[in-house]
Structures are given as structure tokens and as C-alpha cells.
Amino acid sequence: DVPVVDIDPFSDAFLSDPYDAHRQMREAGPVVWIPAYGVYACARHESVHAVFNDHATYISGAGVGLANFNKEAPFRPKSLILEADPPSHTKARAVLARILSPKTVVQVRATFTDEAESLVDRLLARQAAGEVIDAVKDLSEVYPLKVFPDAVGVGEADRENLLLYGNMIFNAFGPRNERLQKSAELVQPVTAWIMAHCQRENLRPGGFGDLIYQAADAGEITHEEAPLLVRSFLSAGVDTTVNGIGNAILCLANHPEQYDSLCADHTLARPAFEEALRFESTVQTFFRTTSKDTALFGVQMPKDSKVMTFLAAANRDERQWPDPDRFDIQRRPAGHMAFGSGIHGCVGQVIARLEGELVLTALAKRVSRIELIGAPQRRLNNTLRALGSMPVRLIPA
Ligand code: HEM
Ligand SMILES: CC(C)Cc1ccc(C(=O)O)cc1
């Protein structure tokens, strides 16, 4: 029967350094049982991929966190896309996929590029004037908070609410632990601010948010659904890229020879960002729920069971990747699970890749080395691999 793995995947120790426990779970089998939370778990690439690609057996409608919406009320009104199954998922997905499309990337690339290059220029000027630059507070938290809300059409004021909200939402996919309670202390004012900025009158005409209301005008979705889909942009569109970019900068600071290759060939910016997503996996875990009694790689699971998928563990599975614990920007990590897979695979990934590419390119053009001048501080989160601070010296090119 199912191998048991006695770990707590939401403890500080695990979240600070999960890699040995990932290996333990992979070695134990394709599907294991975590008694601490009463969940099945998949840490191998083959089983994580299998779960994401069978959306009828492993559903999202009962929540993609630890909480089973068949048994307890959601932390907030359900997402119409993330926490939905076909057929309702299909229409919402089509609307967001059209807004966050490769064509959109062409339209925003110049603006996103200017923002990245001018931000790095300003950081070098501040450093030359004697300031210590923090690659999290001054760069990876700043850039996504400028370009994406601008594109959605959110006003400039109080945007730090987007970071507070993201932190809370990603904690809410985990257990109701002290970490979630702390981040939920602000839930009232932050949620009020978020919902206000999902209303059409607070969204710039023609921005990504307004385009959702235009889809409602065209009858693709209802006007009641529109604000909740804008909420999806505000929930998923910032804290993810903040940490995707932060993790990529840390990887390059920790592997200067890789950064040298990037500086010698800027076309490596996109593969470098992709390899950082594989190596550090911004989104570490999330869940599905079995829609019927089923068996996965020989392990029987009853209907209504929670299945925890460890994307970060799948992304370092030696059965899938040669030398998986080596950060290598020349690797082509196609097939990684950092954006998920299947019908719920990240609908914003083209925007995420654009932001990552442009920040790394702006750095590679102007900075010959990123030196850590103090230990980076992690920001522990139930779901995200996140950084709190990273003091650096940016050696000008
Ligand atoms: C490095 C950045 C990002 C990472 C690592 C990431 C990761 C993911 C993952 C793993 C999923 C799958 C969730 C599931 O299968 O249940 C997902 C879905 C999603 N992502 Fe991203 N994401 C990123 C950036 C973005 C951005 C910039 C947006 C823009 C709005 C976005 C919007 C969404 C939405 C709406 C979904 C739900 C899609 C669906 O359920 O069909 N994400 N993302
Ligand atoms: C990695 C995913 C779980 C990120 C995410 C969060 C929230 C939403 C939403 O629709 O609110 C969608 C995607």
C-alpha cells in the first residue's frame, strides 16, 4: 500500500530548505501519504504531470489548496478560473487567454522594456550616490508592481496592497496556520481595496481589466463575472512575478559564471529565467481533489481525497533532468512544472516570461556582476518560494 512520509511541508524548516524532503518523497514512490495533513502527495515529475493532465479525475472546483470546498467554506469567493472545472472554466479561460496572448506581448514589450531599463539606470545612480541597493525591495518588488498594474489599468496609489493580498492568497492555499493568520490580519482593508479596483469605473479604458468588461459587453461572460476575473489578474499577476524575478536574480548572483555567460549573450535571458523557474519554482505546491475512487501509479485513492503536487520537487527529479541540482542557463528545461500543465497551465506565462526576460536583459547590459553583500532573507510563505530582502552591489559594466 501507499508509502508514508512523515514530513510537515508547511513548517518553517521545510519551507526554508525543502530539497532533502523532496528527494525523500521522490525515493519513496510516485505517490506517497503525508499523515500530518491527511493528503496524498506527488513529488516525481511523472506523477505531478499525470495529475495536472487528468482534470476530470483531479479537479480544481473543490479548491487547489489544502481546504476541500466540499467540506469547508472557501477563504474567499471562489475564482472563476483557478477553482473551476469545465464547462464553466472554459469560457473564463478563453477570455483571459485572449487578453494575455502573444499578440498582447508585442503591444506591451516596448513599454515593459523602457521600465526595466530606466529602473536599473536609477538603481545604479542611487548606488553611485552611496545607497545600498536591495534587489528585492528596490527591484523585484518594484518592476512587476509598475508594469502589470499599469497594463491592467489600476491607479498608481497604494499598490503595495497587491503584495499584501498576494502574500495572503498564497498563504491561504496552505493550512490555517499562524503564517496565514498573520497575513490575514489585514484581510479586511486589503480585500476592500482589491475589490474596489476590480470595478470598471476604477480601471483605465482599454487596459487588461477593461478588456474583461468588454468581453462581458460582447456576451462572452456576464457582467457579474467580470470583477472576479479582474480579481484573478490582481491575485496571480504580481506576487508570482515578483518572486520569479527575485529568485532568478539570486540564482545569477550565486552562480557568477552563469551570469557572465548571460552578459556575453543577452539571448540567454529567456532561458536563464526559465531555468530559474525550474531550479527554484516560485510556486512550490498546490492541490487537486479526486472526483472519484481512483488509482495513480498503483496507489488507490478514494473519492474526495486531496492530492498535493510538489512542482518544485518535480522540477528537480533526476528521472527527468540530468544533474537536476545544477543551475545551468544553457539547459533547455522544456517540460518543467513551474507554470503547471494541462487546462489550468498558467494563462499569464507569456507576461511572466516577458517580465523576467526584460529585467535580466536590462541587468546584463549595465551590470557586470551582482554581488551579495549580506545573506538574503527569505519571506516564508505556505505556497511561494519568496524573498524578503537581498542587499547587493551591482558592479557597473
Ligand atoms: C513567475 C510567474 C508565475 C508563475 C510561476 C505562475 C504559476 C502558475 C501555475 C503553477 C498555475 C497553475 C495553477 C493550477 O494548475 O491550479 C498558474 C495558473 C494561473 N496563472 Fe500563473 N504564474 C505566474 C505568473 C502569472 C501572471 C503574470 C499572471 C497574470 C495574470 C498569472 C495568472 C494565472 C491565472 C489566472 C491562472 C489560472 C489558470 C487556470 O486555472 O486556467 N500567472 N500560474
Ligand atoms: C499558482 C496559481 C495558484 C496562481 C493563481 C492565484 C490566484 C488565481 C485566481 O484566479 O484568483 C489564479 C492563479
Short mmCIF file of all heavy atoms in Angstrom, two decimals, residues 64 76 79-83 169-170 173 228 231-233 235-236 240 283 286, ligand 2:
data_model
loop_
_atom_site.label_atom_id
_atom_site.label_comp_id
_atom_site.label_asym_id
_atom_site.label_seq_id
_atom_site.Cartn_x
_atom_site.Cartn_y
_atom_site.Cartn_z
N VAL A 64 -7.82 24.44 -4.96
CA VAL A 64 -6.47 24.00 -5.34
C VAL A 64 -5.51 24.20 -4.16
O VAL A 64 -4.29 24.17 -4.33
CB VAL A 64 -5.95 24.71 -6.61
CG1 VAL A 64 -6.82 24.34 -7.80
CG2 VAL A 64 -5.87 26.22 -6.42
N ARG A 76 -12.25 32.83 0.47
CA ARG A 76 -12.83 33.98 -0.24
C ARG A 76 -13.70 33.39 -1.35
O ARG A 76 -13.57 32.20 -1.67
CB ARG A 76 -11.72 34.87 -0.83
CG ARG A 76 -10.87 34.12 -1.83
CD ARG A 76 -9.83 34.96 -2.56
NE ARG A 76 -9.23 34.16 -3.62
CZ ARG A 76 -8.57 34.67 -4.64
NH1 ARG A 76 -8.41 35.97 -4.76
NH2 ARG A 76 -8.04 33.87 -5.56
N SER A 79 -12.44 31.53 -7.21
CA SER A 79 -12.02 32.04 -8.52
C SER A 79 -12.82 31.34 -9.62
O SER A 79 -13.06 30.13 -9.55
CB SER A 79 -10.53 31.75 -8.73
OG SER A 79 -10.20 31.90 -10.11
N LEU A 80 -13.20 32.12 -10.63
CA LEU A 80 -14.00 31.55 -11.74
C LEU A 80 -13.13 30.79 -12.72
O LEU A 80 -13.63 30.18 -13.68
CB LEU A 80 -14.74 32.68 -12.48
CG LEU A 80 -15.70 33.51 -11.62
CD1 LEU A 80 -16.35 34.60 -12.47
CD2 LEU A 80 -16.75 32.62 -10.98
N ILE A 81 -11.82 30.88 -12.54
CA ILE A 81 -10.94 30.16 -13.47
C ILE A 81 -10.10 29.13 -12.72
O ILE A 81 -10.14 27.95 -13.04
CB ILE A 81 -10.07 31.16 -14.30
CG1 ILE A 81 -9.12 30.43 -15.24
CG2 ILE A 81 -9.31 32.14 -13.42
CD1 ILE A 81 -8.48 31.32 -16.29
N LEU A 82 -9.38 29.57 -11.70
CA LEU A 82 -8.47 28.66 -10.98
C LEU A 82 -9.25 27.56 -10.26
O LEU A 82 -8.84 26.40 -10.27
CB LEU A 82 -7.66 29.47 -9.96
CG LEU A 82 -6.69 28.66 -9.13
CD1 LEU A 82 -5.46 28.29 -9.96
CD2 LEU A 82 -6.26 29.44 -7.89
N GLU A 83 -10.32 27.92 -9.61
CA GLU A 83 -11.08 26.98 -8.76
C GLU A 83 -12.37 26.56 -9.47
O GLU A 83 -13.43 26.44 -8.87
CB GLU A 83 -11.35 27.63 -7.40
CG GLU A 83 -10.06 27.83 -6.60
CD GLU A 83 -10.07 29.01 -5.63
OE1 GLU A 83 -10.85 29.96 -5.82
OE2 GLU A 83 -9.28 28.97 -4.67
N ILE A 169 -3.14 35.43 -0.23
CA ILE A 169 -3.78 34.43 -1.09
C ILE A 169 -2.93 33.17 -1.17
O ILE A 169 -3.42 32.05 -1.05
CB ILE A 169 -4.01 35.01 -2.52
CG1 ILE A 169 -5.05 36.10 -2.49
CG2 ILE A 169 -4.39 33.92 -3.53
CD1 ILE A 169 -6.36 35.65 -1.88
N PHE A 170 -1.61 33.34 -1.30
CA PHE A 170 -0.75 32.17 -1.43
C PHE A 170 -0.59 31.45 -0.11
O PHE A 170 -0.44 30.23 -0.07
CB PHE A 170 0.59 32.56 -2.08
CG PHE A 170 0.46 32.74 -3.57
CD1 PHE A 170 0.34 34.00 -4.13
CD2 PHE A 170 0.41 31.64 -4.40
CE1 PHE A 170 0.20 34.16 -5.49
CE2 PHE A 170 0.26 31.79 -5.77
CZ PHE A 170 0.16 33.05 -6.31
N PHE A 173 -3.63 28.98 0.42
CA PHE A 173 -3.66 27.65 -0.21
C PHE A 173 -3.14 26.59 0.76
O PHE A 173 -3.32 25.39 0.55
CB PHE A 173 -2.82 27.62 -1.50
CG PHE A 173 -3.39 28.44 -2.62
CD1 PHE A 173 -2.64 29.45 -3.21
CD2 PHE A 173 -4.68 28.21 -3.09
CE1 PHE A 173 -3.17 30.22 -4.24
CE2 PHE A 173 -5.20 28.97 -4.13
CZ PHE A 173 -4.44 29.97 -4.70
N LEU A 228 -14.72 39.44 -10.78
CA LEU A 228 -13.98 38.31 -10.20
C LEU A 228 -12.83 37.89 -11.11
O LEU A 228 -11.79 37.41 -10.64
CB LEU A 228 -14.93 37.12 -9.95
CG LEU A 228 -15.45 37.00 -8.50
CD1 LEU A 228 -16.25 35.73 -8.34
CD2 LEU A 228 -14.31 37.02 -7.50
N ARG A 231 -10.13 40.21 -10.49
CA ARG A 231 -9.50 39.78 -9.24
C ARG A 231 -8.45 38.70 -9.48
O ARG A 231 -7.40 38.67 -8.81
CB ARG A 231 -10.57 39.27 -8.26
CG ARG A 231 -10.08 39.08 -6.84
CD ARG A 231 -11.07 38.29 -5.98
NE ARG A 231 -11.09 36.87 -6.37
CZ ARG A 231 -11.74 35.92 -5.69
NH1 ARG A 231 -12.43 36.25 -4.60
NH2 ARG A 231 -11.72 34.66 -6.10
N SER A 232 -8.69 37.85 -10.47
CA SER A 232 -7.68 36.82 -10.80
C SER A 232 -6.39 37.46 -11.27
O SER A 232 -5.30 37.02 -10.89
CB SER A 232 -8.24 35.88 -11.88
OG SER A 232 -9.23 35.05 -11.32
N PHE A 233 -6.50 38.48 -12.09
CA PHE A 233 -5.28 39.20 -12.53
C PHE A 233 -4.55 39.77 -11.31
O PHE A 233 -3.33 39.63 -11.18
CB PHE A 233 -5.65 40.36 -13.46
CG PHE A 233 -5.92 39.96 -14.88
CD1 PHE A 233 -6.41 40.89 -15.79
CD2 PHE A 233 -5.70 38.67 -15.33
CE1 PHE A 233 -6.67 40.55 -17.10
CE2 PHE A 233 -5.95 38.31 -16.65
CZ PHE A 233 -6.43 39.26 -17.53
N SER A 235 -4.73 38.86 -8.21
CA SER A 235 -4.28 37.82 -7.27
C SER A 235 -3.01 37.13 -7.76
O SER A 235 -2.11 36.85 -6.99
CB SER A 235 -5.37 36.75 -7.11
OG SER A 235 -6.58 37.30 -6.73
N ALA A 236 -2.98 36.82 -9.07
CA ALA A 236 -1.93 35.94 -9.59
C ALA A 236 -0.83 36.72 -10.31
O ALA A 236 0.24 36.16 -10.57
CB ALA A 236 -2.54 34.94 -10.56
N THR A 240 3.65 36.51 -7.94
CA THR A 240 4.31 35.43 -8.68
C THR A 240 5.53 35.95 -9.43
O THR A 240 6.65 35.43 -9.27
CB THR A 240 3.32 34.84 -9.71
OG1 THR A 240 2.71 35.93 -10.40
CG2 THR A 240 2.26 33.99 -9.04
N VAL A 283 6.17 28.95 -7.48
CA VAL A 283 5.02 28.30 -6.88
C VAL A 283 5.45 26.88 -6.56
O VAL A 283 5.74 26.09 -7.46
CB VAL A 283 3.81 28.31 -7.84
CG1 VAL A 283 2.66 27.48 -7.26
CG2 VAL A 283 3.35 29.74 -8.09
N PHE A 286 0.71 22.99 -5.05
CA PHE A 286 -0.71 23.19 -4.81
C PHE A 286 -1.44 21.89 -5.07
O PHE A 286 -0.80 20.86 -5.35
CB PHE A 286 -1.32 24.39 -5.54
CG PHE A 286 -1.09 24.43 -6.97
CD1 PHE A 286 -1.95 23.79 -7.83
CD2 PHE A 286 0.01 25.08 -7.48
CE1 PHE A 286 -1.72 23.79 -9.17
CE2 PHE A 286 0.23 25.10 -8.82
CZ PHE A 286 -0.63 24.45 -9.66
C1 LIG B 2 -0.19 29.46 -8.99
C2 LIG B 2 -1.64 29.83 -9.02
C3 LIG B 2 -2.39 29.16 -7.93
C4 LIG B 2 -1.75 31.37 -9.03
C5 LIG B 2 -3.14 31.90 -9.04
C6 LIG B 2 -3.66 32.55 -7.93
C7 LIG B 2 -4.96 33.09 -7.96
C8 LIG B 2 -5.73 32.96 -9.12
C9 LIG B 2 -7.13 33.49 -9.18
O1 LIG B 2 -7.82 33.19 -10.18
O2 LIG B 2 -7.53 34.23 -8.23
C10 LIG B 2 -5.20 32.31 -10.25
C11 LIG B 2 -3.90 31.77 -10.21
#
